[in-house]
């Protein structure tokens, strides 16, 4: 279980992940979490930033497929998928492997060709690693989230600190210190 909680990389924001990093690692499809990864928790698609849209365009230009995998309600998730022009899987909770498998089926990619990007160790990173994908952690965009998620964050922080002290957790790539780039 322990090694399954360690992401390959940790970025502050998803749009800081270089498309070349994905391509150079043989990635052909990207599974992205919705809440606090694409947009702050519970926000609608109007909250999608220009940086996010530009980053998604870059992925598409590099011919990478994109699929949102979210525990959120399927009508909201499908609104995002339609607006952003990507695929989606909703209604099957992470970290179960089923939603990741479904997403890979939709994109026609193998686990080795698939990256999983999300803000939670116990759902996105655990599920992505168990599925054999290339996992990237991002820092949550907002502090607001479900009460239960906030409780899980306490445990997440403990585990992260423990793994950091052991030197096995990646350092956060912060985007070169330009604060504007982070938000
Ligand atoms: Mg999330």
């Amino acid at each position: 279980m322990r090694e399954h909680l360690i992401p390959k990389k940790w970025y502050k924001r998803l749009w800081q992940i270089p498309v070349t990093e994905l391509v150079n690692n043989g990635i052909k499809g990207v599974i992205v979490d919705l809440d606090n990864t694409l947009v702050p928790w519970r926000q609608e698609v109007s909250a999608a930033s220009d940086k996010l849209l530009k980053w998604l365009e870059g992925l598409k230009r590099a011919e990478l497929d994109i699929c949102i995998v979210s525990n959120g309600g399927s009508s909201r998730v499908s609104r995002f998928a339609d607006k952003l022009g990507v695929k989606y899987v909703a209604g099957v909770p992470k970290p179960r492997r089923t939603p990741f498998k479904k997403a890979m089926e939709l994109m026609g990619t193998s686990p080795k060709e698939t990256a999983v990007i999300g803000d939670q160790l116990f759902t996105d990173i655990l599920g992505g690693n168990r599925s054999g994908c290339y996992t990237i952690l991002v820092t949550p965009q907002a502090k607001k989230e479900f009460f239960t998620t906030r409780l899980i964050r306490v445990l997440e922080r403990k585990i992260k600190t423990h793994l950091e002290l052991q030197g096995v957790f990646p350092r956060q790539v912060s985007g070169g210190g330009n604060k504007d780039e982070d938000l």
Side-chain angles (χ1 to χ4, degrees):
M1 163 106 170
R2 193 195 87 139
E3 69 275 16
H4 282 159
L5 291 171
I6 304 172
K8 284 271 184 318
K9 293 296 265 302
W10 176 16
Y11 284 88
K12 184 162 186 183
R13 295 289 175 257
L14 137 127
W15 44 86
Q16 294 170 334
I17 303 166
V19 178
T20 47
E21 178 185 332
L22 300 172
V23 172
N24 292 344
N25 279 289
I27 302 301
K28 297 196 164 75
V30 177
I31 292 174
V32 286
D33 170 53
L34 175 52
D35 282 298
N36 269 339
T37 296
L38 286 181
V39 293
W41 183 63
R42 277 200 173 163
Q43 296 282 304
E44 266 307 326
V45 74
S46 55
S49 68
D50 289 344
K51 282 174 185 162
L52 168 65
L53 299 176
K54 224 175 118 192
W55 183 78
L56 290 173
E57 281 313 311
L59 291 190
K60 290 176 189 171
R61 264 201 309 278
E63 294 183 351
L64 295 181
D65 216 338
I66 306 157
C67 185
I68 299 173
V69 172
S70 173
N71 291 356
S74 98
S75 61
R76 176 165 167 265
V77 181
S78 76
R79 281 201 295 282
F80 271 90
D82 285 351
K83 179 79 182 178
L84 302 176
V86 302
K87 301 178 167 107
Y88 79 96
V89 174
V92 194
K94 296 175 271 187
R96 280 178 57 187
R97 269 172 283 199
T98 317
F100 297 96
K101 212 176 140 211
K102 274 192 174 176
M104 286 189 264
E105 274 168 21
L106 285 176
M107 299 192 292
T109 56
S110 68
K112 283 209 174 336
E113 297 167 338
T114 308
V116 173
I117 305 169
D119 69 297
Q120 286 196 58
L121 289 187
F122 291 106
T123 56
D124 308 303
I125 302 306
L126 177 60
N129 281 335
R130 285 176 72 219
S131 304
C133 302
Y134 184 89
T135 49
I136 302 177
L137 179 70
V138 292
T139 301
Q141 285 192 32
K143 288 208 163 64
K144 260 195 191 166
E145 35 195 7
F146 279 116
F147 176 68
T148 47
T149 311
R150 290 213 305 272
L151 292 181
I152 291 167
R153 292 286 184 203
V154 177
L155 182 61
E156 202 176 70
R157 272 197 295 275
K158 273 192 182 162
I159 286 180
K160 217 189 246 173
T161 306
H162 175 73
L163 294 171
E164 276 167 346
L165 286 172
Q166 291 189 326
V168 292
F169 203 85
R171 279 167 172 264
Q172 180 186 265
V173 181
S174 68
N178 180 352
K179 283 218 167 74
D180 289 343
E181 279 297 308
D182 296 346
L183 299 167

